[in-house]
Amino acid sequence: MSERSERPGKGASSRSDRPSEARAGSNSPVIVLVGPPGSGKSTVGRALAERLGVGFRDTDADIEALAGKPIPEIFIDEGEPHFRDLEVRAVRAAATGHDGVLALGGGAVMAEATRALLRELAVVFLEVPLGDAVKRVGLDAPRPLLAVNPRARWRELMEARRPLYLEVATAVVDTAGRTPEQVADAVLEALELKTPHE
């Protein structure tokens, strides 16, 4: 954590050695959101896109469109390795062809190819405690990796993924007890981005 410096906003920190502004004329995302299930990536992403006047894209939705079926069915029918292959393709396409706000699936950072792509982008890790994640997604949501003993599995996933989220993060924003609008404010502040209305 020593490589991140605190920004003025409560619950937000940022790495000074990473890009913090959108590149003019770039075909890469203005902001990429990463984090575990229940961190609010899609909800916060849509709020950020609206404020910035850009499009929103979610790689989980891209994968479902590519496969022609919901993610749980991909896991059941073809297995997790096939899903992860689709995910790498979807992230690559979005990271090089979308200039708005991009939300990645919780496990996307597991692939080295994805982490390599993210190193040059403004990536925000939305950190969320288990209690808040459970309230947001519920324990009966169709999330294949959380199907059996969701609380214990969520903790295991976070132990494996948290170092990878931190590796790719330009900034970390704590979502605990915050509304999506407050999280969006903290993201903009952490990245020092201004909305068109400011």
Side-chain angles (χ1 to χ4, degrees):
M1 288 211 185
S2 61
E3 63 185 295
R4 291 175 299 172
S5 60
E6 285 297 311
R7 293 283 185 209
K10 178 185 174 223
S13 58
S14 174
R15 289 174 52 158
S16 59
D17 62 334
R18 305 294 298 275
S20 62
E21 299 181 14
R23 295 180 296 279
S26 170
N27 218 16
S28 350
V30 176
I31 302 170
V32 179
L33 300 176
V34 299
S39 60
K41 298 180 297 286
S42 295
T43 304
V44 171
R46 284 185 192 94
L48 285 165
E50 184 176 324
R51 288 184 190 191
L52 293 169
V54 298
F56 172 73
R57 189 164 171 179
D58 183 327
T59 57
D60 280 352
D62 291 352
I63 293 164
E64 290 183 339
L66 183 65
K69 61 176 100 175
I71 289 172
E73 288 183 25
I74 299 169
F75 269 76
I76 292 166
D77 297 344
E78 286 91 19
E80 185 176 358
H82 178 73
F83 170 78
R84 296 297 172 202
D85 288 342
L86 293 175
E87 185 171 54
V88 168
R89 289 170 41 199
V91 171
R92 184 182 313 115
T96 59
H98 175 68
D99 59 2
V101 176
L102 177 63
L104 302 188
V109 297
M110 300 297 286
E112 173 54 39
T114 294
R115 294 195 308 277
L117 274 173
L118 297 177
R119 287 187 183 110
E120 299 304 317
L121 302 174
V123 179
V124 178
F125 166 28
L126 298 183
E127 193 158 35
V128 61
L130 174 61
D132 283 3
V134 167
K135 286 178 198 165
R136 292 176 187 167
V137 300
L139 296 181
D140 59 350
R143 300 195 184 248
L145 294 180
L146 299 177
V148 178
N149 194 350
R151 289 176 187 267
R153 186 68 180 128
W154 192 92
R155 283 189 193 101
E156 290 170 15
L157 290 174
M158 276 305 292
E159 283 178 30
R161 295 175 180 177
R162 189 171 196 283
L164 302 177
Y165 293 140
L166 292 172
E167 177 186 325
V168 300
T170 305
V172 176
V173 173
D174 183 0
T175 68
R178 289 177 159 174
T179 67
E181 293 75 21
Q182 291 169 328
V183 174
D185 288 340
V187 168
L188 293 171
E189 186 174 333
L191 295 177
E192 299 177 349
L193 290 174
K194 296 194 182 309
T195 65
H197 310 293
E198 293 182 73

